[in-house]
CSV table of all heavy atoms in Angstrom, one decimal:
chain,number,residue,atom,x,y,z
A,31,LEU,N,-0.4,44.2,-62.2
A,31,LEU,CA,-1.8,44.0,-62.0
A,31,LEU,C,-2.6,44.2,-63.3
A,31,LEU,O,-3.6,43.5,-63.5
A,31,LEU,CB,-2.4,44.9,-60.9
A,31,LEU,CG,-1.9,44.5,-59.5
A,31,LEU,CD1,-2.6,45.4,-58.5
A,31,LEU,CD2,-2.1,43.1,-59.2
A,32,LEU,N,-2.2,45.1,-64.2
A,32,LEU,CA,-2.9,45.2,-65.5
A,32,LEU,C,-2.7,44.0,-66.3
A,32,LEU,O,-3.6,43.5,-67.0
A,32,LEU,CB,-2.4,46.5,-66.2
A,32,LEU,CG,-2.8,47.8,-65.5
A,32,LEU,CD1,-2.1,48.9,-66.3
A,32,LEU,CD2,-4.3,47.9,-65.5
A,33,VAL,N,-1.5,43.4,-66.3
A,33,VAL,CA,-1.2,42.2,-67.1
A,33,VAL,C,-2.0,41.0,-66.5
A,33,VAL,O,-2.7,40.3,-67.2
A,33,VAL,CB,0.3,41.8,-67.1
A,33,VAL,CG1,0.6,40.4,-67.6
A,33,VAL,CG2,1.1,42.9,-67.9
A,34,VAL,N,-2.1,40.9,-65.2
A,34,VAL,CA,-2.9,39.9,-64.5
A,34,VAL,C,-4.3,40.1,-64.9
A,34,VAL,O,-5.0,39.1,-65.2
A,34,VAL,CB,-2.6,39.9,-63.0
A,34,VAL,CG1,-3.7,39.0,-62.3
A,34,VAL,CG2,-1.2,39.4,-62.7
A,35,ARG,N,-4.8,41.3,-64.9
A,35,ARG,CA,-6.2,41.6,-65.3
A,35,ARG,C,-6.5,41.0,-66.6
A,35,ARG,O,-7.5,40.4,-66.9
A,35,ARG,CB,-6.5,43.1,-65.2
A,35,ARG,CG,-7.8,43.4,-65.6
A,35,ARG,CD,-8.0,44.9,-65.5
A,35,ARG,NE,-9.2,45.3,-66.3
A,35,ARG,CZ,-9.3,46.5,-66.9
A,35,ARG,NH1,-8.3,47.3,-66.9
A,35,ARG,NH2,-10.4,46.8,-67.5
A,36,HIS,N,-5.7,41.3,-67.6
A,36,HIS,CA,-5.9,40.8,-69.0
A,36,HIS,C,-5.8,39.3,-69.1
A,36,HIS,O,-6.5,38.7,-69.9
A,36,HIS,CB,-5.0,41.6,-70.0
A,36,HIS,CG,-5.4,43.0,-70.2
A,36,HIS,ND1,-6.5,43.4,-70.9
A,36,HIS,CD2,-4.9,44.2,-69.7
A,36,HIS,CE1,-6.7,44.7,-70.9
A,36,HIS,NE2,-5.7,45.2,-70.2
A,37,LEU,N,-4.9,38.7,-68.4
A,37,LEU,CA,-4.7,37.3,-68.4
A,37,LEU,C,-5.8,36.5,-67.7
A,37,LEU,O,-6.1,35.4,-68.0
A,37,LEU,CB,-3.4,36.9,-67.9
A,37,LEU,CG,-2.2,37.2,-68.7
A,37,LEU,CD1,-0.9,36.8,-68.0
A,37,LEU,CD2,-2.3,36.5,-70.1
A,38,SER,N,-6.6,37.3,-66.8
A,38,SER,CA,-7.7,36.6,-66.1
A,38,SER,C,-8.8,36.3,-67.1
A,38,SER,O,-9.7,35.4,-66.8
A,38,SER,CB,-8.2,37.5,-65.0
A,38,SER,OG,-8.9,38.6,-65.6
A,39,GLN,N,-8.8,36.8,-68.3
A,39,GLN,CA,-9.8,36.5,-69.3
A,39,GLN,C,-9.4,35.4,-70.2
A,39,GLN,O,-10.1,35.0,-71.1
A,39,GLN,CB,-10.0,37.8,-70.2
A,39,GLN,CG,-10.5,38.9,-69.3
A,39,GLN,CD,-10.4,40.3,-70.0
A,39,GLN,OE1,-10.0,40.3,-71.2
A,39,GLN,NE2,-10.7,41.3,-69.3
A,40,GLY,N,-8.2,34.8,-69.9
A,40,GLY,CA,-7.7,33.6,-70.7
A,40,GLY,C,-6.3,33.8,-71.2
A,40,GLY,O,-5.7,34.9,-71.1
A,41,SER,N,-5.8,32.8,-71.8
A,41,SER,CA,-4.4,32.8,-72.3
A,41,SER,C,-4.3,33.9,-73.4
A,41,SER,O,-5.2,34.1,-74.2
A,41,SER,CB,-4.2,31.4,-72.9
A,41,SER,OG,-2.9,31.4,-73.5
A,42,ARG,N,-3.1,34.5,-73.4
A,42,ARG,CA,-2.9,35.6,-74.4
A,42,ARG,C,-1.5,35.5,-75.0
A,42,ARG,O,-0.6,35.1,-74.3
A,42,ARG,CB,-3.0,37.0,-73.8
A,42,ARG,CG,-4.4,37.4,-73.3
A,42,ARG,CD,-5.2,37.8,-74.4
A,42,ARG,NE,-6.6,37.7,-74.1
A,42,ARG,CZ,-7.3,38.6,-73.5
A,42,ARG,NH1,-6.8,39.7,-73.1
A,42,ARG,NH2,-8.6,38.4,-73.3
A,43,ARG,N,-1.4,35.9,-76.2
A,43,ARG,CA,0.0,36.0,-76.8
A,43,ARG,C,0.5,37.4,-76.5
A,43,ARG,O,-0.2,38.3,-76.1
A,43,ARG,CB,-0.2,35.8,-78.3
A,43,ARG,CG,-0.6,34.4,-78.7
A,43,ARG,CD,-0.7,34.2,-80.2
A,43,ARG,NE,0.7,34.2,-80.7
A,43,ARG,CZ,1.0,33.9,-81.9
A,43,ARG,NH1,0.0,33.7,-82.8
A,43,ARG,NH2,2.2,33.9,-82.3
A,44,PHE,N,1.9,37.5,-76.6
A,44,PHE,CA,2.6,38.7,-76.3
A,44,PHE,C,2.0,39.9,-77.0
A,44,PHE,O,1.7,41.0,-76.5
A,44,PHE,CB,4.1,38.6,-76.7
A,44,PHE,CG,4.9,39.7,-76.3
A,44,PHE,CD1,5.5,39.8,-75.1
A,44,PHE,CD2,5.1,40.8,-77.2
A,44,PHE,CE1,6.3,40.9,-74.7
A,44,PHE,CE2,5.8,41.9,-76.8
A,44,PHE,CZ,6.5,41.9,-75.6
A,45,THR,N,1.7,39.7,-78.4
A,45,THR,CA,1.2,40.9,-79.1
A,45,THR,C,-0.2,41.3,-78.7
A,45,THR,O,-0.5,42.5,-78.7
A,45,THR,CB,1.2,40.5,-80.6
A,45,THR,OG1,0.5,39.3,-80.8
A,45,THR,CG2,2.6,40.4,-81.2
A,46,GLU,N,-1.0,40.3,-78.2
A,46,GLU,CA,-2.3,40.7,-77.7
A,46,GLU,C,-2.2,41.5,-76.4
A,46,GLU,O,-2.9,42.5,-76.2
A,46,GLU,CB,-3.1,39.4,-77.4
A,46,GLU,CG,-3.5,38.7,-78.7
A,46,GLU,CD,-4.1,37.3,-78.3
A,46,GLU,OE1,-3.5,36.5,-77.6
A,46,GLU,OE2,-5.2,37.1,-78.9
A,47,LEU,N,-1.3,41.1,-75.5
A,47,LEU,CA,-1.0,41.8,-74.3
A,47,LEU,C,-0.5,43.2,-74.6
A,47,LEU,O,-0.9,44.2,-74.0
A,47,LEU,CB,-0.1,41.1,-73.4
A,47,LEU,CG,-0.7,39.8,-72.7
A,47,LEU,CD1,0.4,39.0,-72.1
A,47,LEU,CD2,-1.7,40.2,-71.7
A,48,LYS,N,0.4,43.3,-75.5
A,48,LYS,CA,1.0,44.6,-75.9
A,48,LYS,C,-0.1,45.6,-76.4
A,48,LYS,O,-0.1,46.7,-76.0
A,48,LYS,CB,2.1,44.4,-77.0
A,48,LYS,CG,2.7,45.7,-77.6
A,48,LYS,CD,3.6,46.3,-76.6
A,48,LYS,CE,4.3,47.5,-77.2
A,48,LYS,NZ,3.5,48.7,-77.3
A,49,ARG,N,-1.0,45.0,-77.1
A,49,ARG,CA,-2.1,45.9,-77.6
A,49,ARG,C,-3.1,46.2,-76.5
A,49,ARG,O,-3.6,47.3,-76.5
A,49,ARG,CB,-2.8,45.1,-78.8
A,49,ARG,CG,-4.0,45.9,-79.4
A,49,ARG,CD,-4.8,45.0,-80.3
A,49,ARG,NE,-5.5,43.9,-79.5
A,49,ARG,CZ,-5.4,42.7,-79.9
A,49,ARG,NH1,-4.8,42.3,-80.9
A,49,ARG,NH2,-6.0,41.8,-79.1
A,50,ASP,N,-3.4,45.3,-75.6
A,50,ASP,CA,-4.4,45.5,-74.6
A,50,ASP,C,-4.0,46.3,-73.4
A,50,ASP,O,-4.8,47.0,-72.8
A,50,ASP,CB,-4.9,44.1,-74.1
A,50,ASP,CG,-5.7,43.4,-75.2
A,50,ASP,OD1,-6.1,44.0,-76.2
A,50,ASP,OD2,-5.9,42.2,-75.1
A,51,VAL,N,-2.7,46.2,-73.1
A,51,VAL,CA,-2.2,47.0,-71.9
A,51,VAL,C,-1.7,48.3,-72.4
A,51,VAL,O,-0.6,48.5,-72.8
A,51,VAL,CB,-1.1,46.2,-71.1
A,51,VAL,CG1,-0.6,47.0,-69.9
A,51,VAL,CG2,-1.6,44.8,-70.7
A,52,ASP,N,-2.6,49.3,-72.3
A,52,ASP,CA,-2.4,50.6,-72.8
A,52,ASP,C,-1.1,51.3,-72.2
A,52,ASP,O,-1.0,51.4,-71.0
A,52,ASP,CB,-3.6,51.5,-72.5
A,52,ASP,CG,-3.5,52.8,-73.2
A,52,ASP,OD1,-3.1,52.9,-74.4
A,52,ASP,OD2,-4.0,53.8,-72.6
A,53,GLY,N,-0.2,51.7,-73.1
A,53,GLY,CA,0.9,52.5,-72.7
A,53,GLY,C,2.2,51.7,-72.3
A,53,GLY,O,3.2,52.3,-72.1
A,54,ILE,N,2.1,50.4,-72.3
A,54,ILE,CA,3.3,49.6,-71.9
A,54,ILE,C,4.2,49.4,-73.1
A,54,ILE,O,3.7,49.2,-74.3
A,54,ILE,CB,2.8,48.2,-71.3
A,54,ILE,CG1,4.0,47.5,-70.6
A,54,ILE,CG2,2.3,47.3,-72.4
A,54,ILE,CD1,3.7,46.3,-69.8
A,55,SER,N,5.5,49.5,-72.9
A,55,SER,CA,6.4,49.3,-74.0
A,55,SER,C,6.7,47.8,-74.1
A,55,SER,O,6.4,47.0,-73.2
A,55,SER,CB,7.7,50.1,-73.7
A,55,SER,OG,8.4,49.4,-72.6
A,56,GLN,N,7.3,47.5,-75.3
A,56,GLN,CA,7.6,46.1,-75.5
A,56,GLN,C,8.6,45.6,-74.5
A,56,GLN,O,8.4,44.5,-73.9
A,56,GLN,CB,8.2,45.9,-76.9
A,56,GLN,CG,8.5,44.5,-77.3
A,56,GLN,CD,8.7,44.3,-78.8
A,56,GLN,OE1,8.2,45.1,-79.6
A,56,GLN,NE2,9.5,43.3,-79.1
A,57,ARG,N,9.6,46.4,-74.2
A,57,ARG,CA,10.6,46.0,-73.2
A,57,ARG,C,10.0,45.8,-71.8
A,57,ARG,O,10.3,44.9,-71.1
A,57,ARG,CB,11.7,47.0,-73.1
A,57,ARG,CG,12.8,46.7,-72.1
A,57,ARG,CD,13.8,47.8,-71.9
A,57,ARG,NE,14.8,47.5,-70.9
A,57,ARG,CZ,14.6,47.4,-69.6
A,57,ARG,NH1,13.5,47.5,-69.1
A,57,ARG,NH2,15.6,47.1,-68.8
A,58,MET,N,9.1,46.7,-71.4
A,58,MET,CA,8.5,46.7,-70.1
A,58,MET,C,7.6,45.5,-70.0
A,58,MET,O,7.5,44.8,-68.9
A,58,MET,CB,7.8,48.0,-69.7
A,58,MET,CG,7.3,48.0,-68.3
A,58,MET,SD,8.5,47.6,-67.0
A,58,MET,CE,9.8,48.8,-67.3
A,59,LEU,N,6.9,45.2,-71.0
A,59,LEU,CA,6.0,44.0,-71.0
A,59,LEU,C,6.8,42.7,-70.9
A,59,LEU,O,6.5,41.8,-70.1
A,59,LEU,CB,5.2,43.9,-72.3
A,59,LEU,CG,4.2,42.7,-72.4
A,59,LEU,CD1,3.3,42.6,-71.2
A,59,LEU,CD2,3.4,42.8,-73.7
A,60,THR,N,8.0,42.7,-71.6
A,60,THR,CA,8.9,41.5,-71.5
A,60,THR,C,9.4,41.4,-70.0
A,60,THR,O,9.3,40.3,-69.4
A,60,THR,CB,10.1,41.7,-72.4
A,60,THR,OG1,9.6,41.7,-73.8
A,60,THR,CG2,11.0,40.5,-72.3
A,61,VAL,N,9.8,42.5,-69.4
A,61,VAL,CA,10.3,42.4,-68.0
A,61,VAL,C,9.2,42.0,-67.1
A,61,VAL,O,9.4,41.2,-66.2
A,61,VAL,CB,10.9,43.8,-67.7
A,61,VAL,CG1,11.1,44.0,-66.2
A,61,VAL,CG2,12.1,44.1,-68.5
A,62,THR,N,8.0,42.5,-67.3
A,62,THR,CA,6.9,42.2,-66.4
A,62,THR,C,6.5,40.8,-66.5
A,62,THR,O,6.3,40.1,-65.5
A,62,THR,CB,5.7,43.1,-66.7
A,62,THR,OG1,6.1,44.5,-66.5
A,62,THR,CG2,4.5,42.8,-65.8
A,63,LEU,N,6.4,40.3,-67.7
A,63,LEU,CA,6.0,38.9,-67.9
A,63,LEU,C,7.1,37.9,-67.3
A,63,LEU,O,6.7,36.9,-66.7
A,63,LEU,CB,5.9,38.6,-69.4
A,63,LEU,CG,4.6,39.2,-70.1
A,63,LEU,CD1,4.7,39.1,-71.6
A,63,LEU,CD2,3.3,38.6,-69.5
A,64,ARG,N,8.3,38.2,-67.5
A,64,ARG,CA,9.4,37.4,-66.9
A,64,ARG,C,9.3,37.4,-65.4
A,64,ARG,O,9.5,36.3,-64.8
A,64,ARG,CB,10.8,37.9,-67.4
A,64,ARG,CG,11.0,37.4,-68.8
A,64,ARG,CD,12.5,37.7,-69.2
A,64,ARG,NE,12.6,37.3,-70.6
A,64,ARG,CZ,13.6,37.8,-71.4
A,64,ARG,NH1,14.4,38.7,-70.9
A,64,ARG,NH2,13.7,37.3,-72.6
A,65,ALA,N,9.1,38.5,-64.8
A,65,ALA,CA,9.0,38.6,-63.3
A,65,ALA,C,7.8,37.8,-62.8
A,65,ALA,O,7.9,37.1,-61.8
A,65,ALA,CB,8.9,40.1,-62.9
A,66,LEU,N,6.7,38.0,-63.5
A,66,LEU,CA,5.5,37.2,-63.1
A,66,LEU,C,5.6,35.7,-63.3
A,66,LEU,O,5.2,34.9,-62.5
A,66,LEU,CB,4.2,37.8,-63.8
A,66,LEU,CG,3.8,39.2,-63.5
A,66,LEU,CD1,2.7,39.7,-64.4
A,66,LEU,CD2,3.4,39.3,-62.0
Side-chain angles (χ1 to χ4, degrees):
L31 291 182
L32 293 174
V33 169
V34 168
R35 176 180 166 214
H36 287 286
L37 288 175
S38 70
Q39 299 163 8
S41 177
R42 295 283 161 83
R43 294 183 70 176
F44 185 92
T45 53
E46 293 172 307
L47 287 168
K48 173 75 173 78
R49 181 189 64 230
D50 293 342
V51 180
D52 189 39
I54 195 167
S55 69
Q56 184 166 332
R57 181 188 178 292
M58 188 49 59
L59 180 56
T60 299
V61 168
T62 301
L63 290 170
R64 283 188 181 157
L66 292 172

